[in-house]
Amino acid sequence: MCCCDLAFDKTTSKRLAGRKIARFQRNITKRGAVESSAKKGNGYPVGPILLGFFVFVVVGSSLFQIIRTATSKGMA
């Protein structure tokens, strides 16, 4: 067995190469046709409890900041 035989053994067969090319082409054609499994409705992306908690934190934080600034006469 010479070095020429080793190089020949490592080449890809035409049948295998054809299968790889076909698989690659199918992936390319599928690339833009992604289907979403998420439901499409008029609902919020977050639940009402989480939304209420977020509003509570934001409004409460701003009120706390306003009260703190008013009691320290703008020095803090």
Side-chain angles (χ1 to χ4, degrees), residues 1 3 12 25 27 29 35 37-38 46 48 53 56 68 74:
M1 190 176 249
C3 64
T12 305
Q25 292 298 331
N27 286 340
T29 56
E35 294 181 10
S37 62
V46 296
F53 179 72
F56 172 76
R68 196 175 99 192

Side-chain angles (χ1 to χ4, degrees), residues 6-61:
L6 289 176
F8 182 74
D9 289 339
K10 292 185 179 185
T11 58
T12 305
S13 69
K14 289 183 181 181
R15 185 172 51 112
L16 183 60
R19 268 195 265 152
K20 286 185 177 184
I21 291 170
R23 189 176 341 144
F24 178 77
Q25 292 298 331
R26 278 189 308 236
N27 286 340
I28 293 298
T29 56
K30 285 183 189 177
R31 186 171 288 178
V34 177
E35 294 181 10
S36 176
S37 62
K39 64 177 184 173
K40 295 182 180 178
N42 295 332
Y44 296 110
V46 296
I49 295 174
L50 186 62
L51 186 62
F53 179 72
F54 180 73
V55 169
F56 172 76
V57 169
V58 170
V59 171
S61 176

Side-chain angles (χ1 to χ4, degrees), residues 68-76:
R68 196 175 99 192
T69 306
T71 55
S72 66
K73 298 179 183 165
M75 296 303 237

